[in-house]
Amino acid sequence: MDTVVISIGGSILVPDDDDKDYIVKLASMLNRLKDDTRIFIVVGGGRIARYYIKLGRSLGADESYLDDVGIEVTRLNARMLIVALGNSAYHVPAITFDEALSAAKNHSIVIMGGTHPGHTTDAVAAMLGERAGAIRLINATSVDGVYTADPKKDPTAKKLDNISFDQLLEICMKVAPGAGPNVVFDPLGAKIVARSGIETRVVHGRNLAELEKAILGQEFRGTIVSRA
Ligand code: UTP
């Protein structure tokens, strides 16, 4: 059975925009796919993590402490998806990769949040992809692919349908340091998918029809990152 890891941003799961409706539909799609695909999901922190990170920074917390704050929020968000998935999902966010792999022996779907300070849940998804022998990693995010520039800021930005791991890395390195960054993929995650050659697909996570096609390895609207 194929294994797929999905990195889903908090900005997709819980942006406070019909979240219940979206999570119910997402869970029902995942429950439909789980019989033919082993699914791991890594949930991000989104605006709630960003709020706490900003508040904690203003109160004087160091960046690693703020990363731990972010990690706690990712696990809270992960619990919402676990609740919606019901019995098919491992009942808590797995804290380590070993726990996630053990849980996958008895559960079709296993969810994680963050793990350690210094990276984001995209990197966690990439590491989990290596450990689980995933055939592809899906980055379900708030843009419908990788662009030449940030499409929210630059109207001339063009979407790239296929890029190499090196191109992804180059794009991801243009990121400010510190807890709570927001780029299309984490630079550490980009290095890990590159070294393992895990095909990575960037898709708008709120577009469930495209997300499903991306998970199944079908043609979809987004970007495929692979060995050029
Ligand atoms: P996210 O993975 O959500 O990062 O983790 P992000 O890119 O800021 O947010 P999305 O993609 O829009 O949801 C939130 C924060 O939690 C910490 C980092 O500070 C990160 O920015 N974190 C998360 C870690 O330090 N380690 C982890 O493994 C995961």
Side-chain angles (χ1 to χ4, degrees):
M1 191 187 282
D2 285 345
T3 298
V4 175
V5 177
I6 305 164
S7 174
I8 185 158
S11 50
I12 295 301
L13 199 74
V14 282
D16 196 10
D17 176 17
D18 287 333
D19 299 351
K20 180 191 164 191
D21 185 56
Y22 171 74
I23 294 172
V24 166
K25 287 183 181 147
L26 172 67
S28 129
M29 185 252 278
L30 295 168
N31 272 328
R32 220 171 355 92
L33 303 186
K34 72 175 191 321
D35 293 336
D36 299 313
T37 309
R38 191 163 70 128
I39 300 170
F40 291 92
I41 303 168
V42 184
V43 177
R47 75 194 165 85
I48 302 167
R50 267 192 279 280
Y51 169 74
Y52 278 118
I53 287 170
K54 195 170 158 210
L55 179 62
R57 191 177 282 130
S58 75
L59 293 167
D62 63 74
E63 293 302 313
S64 296
Y65 192 92
L66 296 172
D67 279 342
D68 276 331
V69 169
I71 290 167
E72 296 211 31
V73 176
T74 64
R75 292 180 183 150
L76 283 178
N77 290 343
R79 281 183 185 268
M80 294 301 106
L81 185 54
I82 289 170
V83 171
L85 283 164
N87 288 338
S88 51
Y90 183 52
H91 67 290
V92 286
I95 304 294
T96 65
F97 299 123
D98 286 338
E99 183 184 356
L101 294 175
S102 299
K105 293 188 194 306
N106 298 313
H107 297 85
S108 323
I109 304 176
V110 177
I111 321 271
M112 291 188 76
T115 54
H116 301 92
H119 51 67
T120 75
T121 44
D122 293 338
V124 175
M127 291 181 234
L128 184 56
E130 274 192 337
R131 289 291 306 276
I135 57 150
R136 73 182 69 89
L137 186 156
I138 311 299
N139 186 26
T141 187
S142 56
V143 281
D144 62 351
V146 178
Y147 282 74
T148 50
D150 185 345
K152 287 171 190 157
K153 292 180 191 151
D154 183 348
T156 67
K158 286 199 171 57
K159 188 162 82 68
L160 303 163
D161 292 338
N162 288 280
I163 59 170
S164 67
F165 290 120
D166 284 346
Q167 280 172 288
L168 178 70
L169 197 53
E170 200 180 305
I171 291 162
C172 296
M173 290 308 279
K174 295 178 196 152
V175 54
N182 192 11
V183 274
V184 72
F185 204 66
D186 178 294
L188 176 62
K191 280 186 194 164
I192 291 169
V193 291
R195 76 178 181 185
S196 295
I198 303 172
E199 183 188 283
T200 300
R201 294 174 161 223
V202 179
V203 60
H204 199 299
R206 281 260 164 168
N207 189 335
L208 286 169
E210 296 304 316
L211 176 60
E212 179 169 348
K213 288 188 251 174
I215 294 169
L216 292 173
Q218 298 169 352
E219 248 181 66
F220 74 112
R221 180 178 165 76
T223 300
I224 298 182
V225 189
S226 60
R227 286 208 170 102

